[in-house]
Amino acid sequence: VAPYERPALSKAYLFPEGAARLPGFHVCVGSGGERLLPEWYKEKGIELILSTEIVKADLPANTLVSAAGETFKYQILIIATGSTVIKLTDFGVQGADAKNIFYLREIDDADKLVEAIKAKKNGKAVIVGGGYIGLELGAALKINNLDVSMVYPEPWCMPRLFTSGIAAFYEGYYANKGIKIIKGTVAVGFNSDSNGEVKEVQLKDGRVLEADIVVVGVGGRPLTALFKGQVEEEMGGIKTDAFFKTSVPTVYAVGDVATFPLKLYNELRRVEHVDHARKSAEQAVKAIKGLEKGQSVDEYDYLPYFYSRSFDLAWQFYGDNVGDTVLFGDNNPQSPKPKFGSYWIKDGKVVGAFLEGGSAEENQAIAKVAKLQPKAENLDALTKE
């Protein structure tokens, strides 16, 4: 299929009613852009070649080779390979190749999961992982009336972003919805029935959970193997400048695979998020076109942004989650309309802001705070305010 935006797969694609389907979420509708259907590419003079895997890249020769043995020559290459999902079979987890153990990365994965949800009506689902995929799919499977348990090793959910105070709200909210949360342990094995379908999840702490469906969300890794040894790498990604040009002048890298200079914090970062995928692609194209015309282009000045939606909840985060934190608002999971947030303060400045239940204007306001980094010397005063 033509390129589409993956966030839909863990949210609306799995709804029991009014589910999202292609062509509804082709690139780039999520940010209010045009919906790029296959005809769009044709109209713009772009050749869209589907069902074709590149298996070899020879950067010094400006050549790509497909699985079918076709050769593609280029003057400029943009690497936008994204990430691949980390699987439990990669670690040799016993029984992890059983049927009905799902991962969610592509539309095929989502289709298989939709079929399983229908086939295992009112069954038991176990989610392995407490990050983005875990939280969004926990909600989606519960909405489909499955009995859901979530298992993760960390002391709280979304530990890469959430503080314990933020996480306590979501764990409480999920528990109120009837989702069982099991923390501080991992899945070490799976038992299947005579059909090879998963029926139990063995946990490290000795517990055994019944399961008709298992969904694993334990992270991804950038797809850089094609270019190993041919471009400079850093932090697991392909190193680029502020225009997404790599160490090879004819080659650019965007999205999940790019490790780029984050101007705001004066450091290199790799960001796995749809917002950065869109914006880095736009920056690379501006830079390529600018070079052609001899025009200068501003350096990429990105404000990190993450968001999620599940049940009736929706949060947004901007900036950097480092330093001390201040929690504000109503974060009682029992509240009819909970609304709360957090600031991160480093070196006497607000560097990050999180808000659950905010309006569009309020979300814009926290983005502004994270960008401008106002002074906040006194944490107690900020807490009271």
Side-chain angles (χ1 to χ4, degrees):
V1 295
Y4 56 88
E5 306 214 302
R6 292 184 41 250
L9 299 183
S10 57
K11 303 177 181 74
Y13 204 86
L14 303 174
F15 287 175
E17 286 159 26
R21 286 292 177 269
L22 285 177
F25 55 96
H26 274 302
V27 173
C28 263
V29 290
S31 55
E34 288 179 51
R35 187 187 293 169
L36 314 191
L37 301 173
E39 305 83 77
W40 181 92
Y41 294 88
K42 217 181 227 122
E43 286 160 14
K44 298 282 187 269
I46 298 166
E47 195 180 350
L48 180 66
I49 304 168
L50 303 175
S51 309
T52 302
E53 186 191 1
I54 298 298
V55 292
K56 186 171 182 267
D58 183 345
L59 302 188
N62 290 10
T63 304
L64 307 170
V65 181
S66 77
E70 258 184 299
T71 300
F72 297 90
K73 296 286 281 181
Y74 63 83
Q75 286 169 309
I76 289 174
L77 174 68
I78 300 180
I79 298 167
T81 42
S83 299
T84 184
V85 74
I86 293 171
K87 297 195 167 176
L88 295 180
T89 44
D90 301 345
F91 308 110
V93 174
Q94 175 260 321
D97 52 357
K99 288 179 195 157
N100 291 337
I101 297 180
F102 298 98
Y103 298 84
L104 188 63
R105 193 77 208 174
E106 297 178 4
I107 207 152
D108 293 353
D109 301 329
D111 285 337
K112 286 175 191 153
L113 189 50
V114 167
E115 287 310 306
I117 289 168
K118 286 176 188 159
K120 304 291 180 185
K121 249 193 174 35
N122 308 323
K124 293 187 185 320
V126 175
I127 310 272
V128 177
Y132 258 114
I133 291 288
L135 286 168
E136 293 189 354
L137 288 193
L141 293 181
K142 188 70 201 172
I143 292 165
N144 279 287
N145 287 324
L146 281 108
D147 178 356
V148 179
S149 300
M150 289 180 67
V151 180
Y152 44 92
E154 298 89 359
W156 61 77
C157 63
M158 282 282 281
R160 286 201 303 185
L161 174 59
F162 289 0
T163 60
S164 58
I166 294 173
F169 166 80
Y170 293 100
E171 290 176 350
Y173 190 98
Y174 275 50
N176 292 342
K177 292 282 187 189
I179 293 174
K180 289 180 278 304
I181 291 176
I182 302 164
K183 300 187 276 191
T185 188
V186 291
V188 290
F190 300 90
N191 302 326
S192 41
D193 62 17
S194 53
N195 299 325
E197 291 188 356
V198 71
K199 63 169 186 175
E200 287 176 339
V201 183
Q202 301 162 12
L203 303 184
K204 196 175 184 176
D205 65 9
R207 278 185 275 187
V208 176
L209 306 177
E210 286 178 54
D212 300 300
I213 293 175
V214 173
V215 183
V216 181
V218 291
R221 58 169 72 96
L223 279 166
T224 58
L226 271 175
F227 313 100
K228 277 267 175 282
Q230 301 187 71
V231 282
E232 214 177 305
E233 289 190 45
E234 189 129 357
M235 293 162 71
I238 295 168
K239 191 179 176 184
T240 77
D241 64 11
F243 308 99
F244 294 97
K245 188 187 280 189
T246 69
S247 57
V248 180
T250 54
V251 179
Y252 291 72
V254 298
D256 287 18
V257 294
T259 301
F260 63 97
L262 191 58
K263 193 175 175 181
L264 194 57
Y265 309 125
N266 194 26
E267 63 182 53
L268 287 175
R269 285 276 177 100
R270 198 175 65 72
V271 175
E272 294 183 3
H273 196 261
V274 64
D275 180 61
H276 162 68
R278 296 182 192 119
K279 287 176 178 162
S280 57
E282 196 176 318
Q283 173 72 352
V285 171
K286 271 184 192 159
I288 292 162
K289 290 288 179 195
L291 264 183
E292 274 179 15
K293 295 174 181 160
Q295 294 165 345
S296 65
V297 172
D298 289 340
E299 289 184 345
Y300 191 59
D301 190 8
Y302 185 64
L303 175 67
Y305 162 59
F306 298 94
Y307 73 90
S308 184
R309 290 188 298 273
S310 55
F311 293 118
D312 297 325
L313 305 173
W315 59 258
Q316 294 198 5
F317 166 82
Y318 292 89
D320 212 7
N321 59 326
V322 290
D324 299 314
T325 57
V326 164
L327 194 65
F328 60 86
D330 173 12
N331 67 331
N332 180 352
Q334 313 278 2
S335 286
K337 265 203 178 319
K339 183 173 179 178
F340 70 96
S342 182
Y343 289 122
W344 281 259
I345 297 94
K346 190 185 176 205
D347 302 332
K349 292 186 301 195
V350 178
V351 293
F354 173 98
L355 187 61
E356 164 61 54
S359 66
E361 292 76 28
E362 288 163 336
N363 287 327
Q364 282 171 353
I366 63 160
K368 194 173 173 183
V369 167
K371 186 83 175 168
L372 296 177
Q373 301 185 354
K375 279 195 170 71
E377 267 102 16
N378 188 328
L379 291 193
D380 294 337
L382 186 62
T383 307
K384 288 193 183 86
E385 286 168 15

